[in-house]
Amino acid sequence: MPDTRESVRIPMDQVRSVAVLTGAGISAESGVPTFRGPGGLWRTYRAEDLATPDAFRRDPRLVWEWYDWRRGLIAACRPNPAHHTLAEMESHFADFCLITQNVDGLHRLAGSRNLVELHGNIWRLRCTRNCCPPWEDRTVPLSEIPLRCPLCGALARPDVVWFGESLPGPALDASFTAAQRCQVMLVIGTSALVQPAASLPLMAVQRGATLVEINPEPTPLSEYADQIIRQPAAAGLPAWWNAWISVGKR
Ligand code: BJW
Ligand code: ZN
């Protein structure tokens, strides 16, 4: 089977509804480490020690130190052409929903507005007592570790989704809705191994959507894709978008 199927072309002016699912790969060229590829975080660190509620209960200092280090890395990163292309695409469709698994905040920085952050945001913090509203804190490095809630003094935690935790209900609902009603679903830079995010493109396919994958490596979704761009996102997405928009104008 060919790795790149360039043949699928739905005229852009016939498309009203687009959903996009992004993963760590879209931010790789901005300098944010991925999780599972070469140089990925899970090659050096164990998710069980750092990204589960049990790990945080056992050793909040260790988990906070790891997040403080990652926040420092991400603070130095800027959106790349793939983030900017998605922000531009938003204005071309009546219904456009960008669903990201990333916690780095780069989509919003690039100007995306109709955005669902499925796994939370590393710059938002919350109180472990759940009695106080979440707050934004962009301080790098953090003023104290482990950080405490400024209102009640309980332990604070990053407002991200760890393994074994439920995803935020409104984010999950919005992404199911978008996946079920889109005509085109674009999947960019995710290994598609983590549930329930990985099921969203399959939901879209079951409802008849065209699936486009942009990823230099094959994933479990590749066999369902109508079009595959085997390139890094920062080059592959702008080229794909320019090709699609120029077909629409002809
Ligand atoms: C490029 C590129 C370039 C490189 N351009 N591309 C069966 C059914 C349902 C659930 C489960 C199940 N079995 C197990 C579960 C539970 C679990 C799960 O899915 N585990 C699997 C690993 C097996 N899921 C959960 O626990 C979720 N909660 C949940 O399901 O609640 C209900 C429930 C609970 C308990 C049991 C059962 C149900 C929560 C998942 C939370 C994930 N959290 C993390 C950390 C977030 C916080 C943080 O960042 O600190 O989210 S883990 C990590 O993985 C992070 C990512 O968002 C997520 C996905 O990773 P992603 O984005 O795909 O990155 P990579 O690195 O994997 O892939 C990068 C890709 O980019 C690669 O393909 C490269 O080729 C590509 N790439 N350069 C384009 N330049
Ligand atoms: Zn509190």
Side-chain angles (χ1 to χ4, degrees), residues 38-60:
L41 293 169
W42 299 154
R43 296 279 176 105
T44 311
Y45 305 96
R46 280 163 37 94
E48 297 85 343
D49 295 338
L50 297 162
T52 69
D54 275 351
F56 189 69
R57 268 190 292 273
R58 265 195 318 269
D59 196 342

Side-chain angles (χ1 to χ4, degrees), residues 13 20 39 59 81 90 93 98-99 108 113 159-160 163 171 173 176-177 190 195 198 208 216 223 235-236 242 250:
D13 53 11
V20 183
D59 196 342
E90 192 168 317
F93 300 95
L98 171 52
I99 305 158
R108 200 167 293 283
R113 287 296 164 257
D159 195 6
V160 299
F163 284 113
D173 289 348
F176 283 156
T177 303
T190 177
Q195 297 295 348
E223 63 179 295
N242 285 332
R250 258 189 237 143

